[in-house]
Amino acid sequence: MKNATPNQVSSDLINSKDTSAATQRNQILAHLKRTPSINTLEFRDLGFISPAPRLLELRQQGHDIKSHREDVRTPDGRLHRGIARYYLSNVPPANDLLIEVAS
C-alpha cells in the first residue's frame, strides 16, 4: 500500500484473513496499540483461538506486555475466573473485579 497512513496499514493488517503466527503476532500488537486492554475471551471473539502463545512470542521479542487476572461473566451467565487481560505496559488497565461481557 503506497503512501498509506499508519492507521490504514493497521486496519488492513487487523482485517487480514492470514492466520500465520507472524500475522497473528502483528495483529495482536495492533489491537493492543488501539485499545487500552483486551482479555482472552475478547481475543477469541476477534478470531484468535489461542492468543497466549502469540503473546508469549511477542514478549520474547521484547514487547512489554503485562497482564492481570479478572473474573468475566459471559452472556450465557457463566462466570469464568482468572481470565487474563493484556495491555502494553505504558497503558495499565482498570482494576475491575468482575467484567460483564456484552452479548
Side-chain angles (χ1 to χ4, degrees):
M1 181 178 280
K2 191 174 181 180
N3 298 325
T5 67
N7 284 342
Q8 288 170 321
V9 172
S10 179
S11 291
D12 288 346
L13 172 65
I14 286 173
N15 294 324
S16 172
K17 301 298 182 204
D18 182 0
T19 59
S20 69
T23 298
Q24 286 186 8
R25 283 191 298 271
N26 289 326
Q27 289 172 325
I28 286 171
L29 198 55
H31 281 293
L32 288 172
K33 288 178 179 179
R34 285 180 137 191
T35 60
S37 66
I38 189 165
N39 72 31
T40 300
L41 298 178
E42 292 164 338
F43 271 127
R44 288 182 181 161
D45 286 344
L46 293 169
F48 301 98
I49 301 305
S50 186
R54 302 294 86 85
L55 287 152
L56 174 63
E57 293 161 357
L58 287 167
R59 287 173 171 151
Q60 290 170 340
Q61 291 176 358
H63 296 280
D64 196 9
I65 299 169
K66 304 288 186 193
S67 65
H68 78 272
R69 300 293 176 164
E70 64 187 10
D71 295 342
V72 178
R73 188 172 306 280
T74 53
D76 62 2
R78 294 181 185 179
L79 180 62
H80 300 266
R81 297 195 181 275
I83 300 296
R85 175 164 292 277
Y86 301 95
Y87 59 97
L88 293 173
S89 67
N90 60 342
V91 186
N95 288 327
D96 295 331
L97 297 178
L98 177 64
I99 304 298
E100 298 284 337
V101 177
S103 53

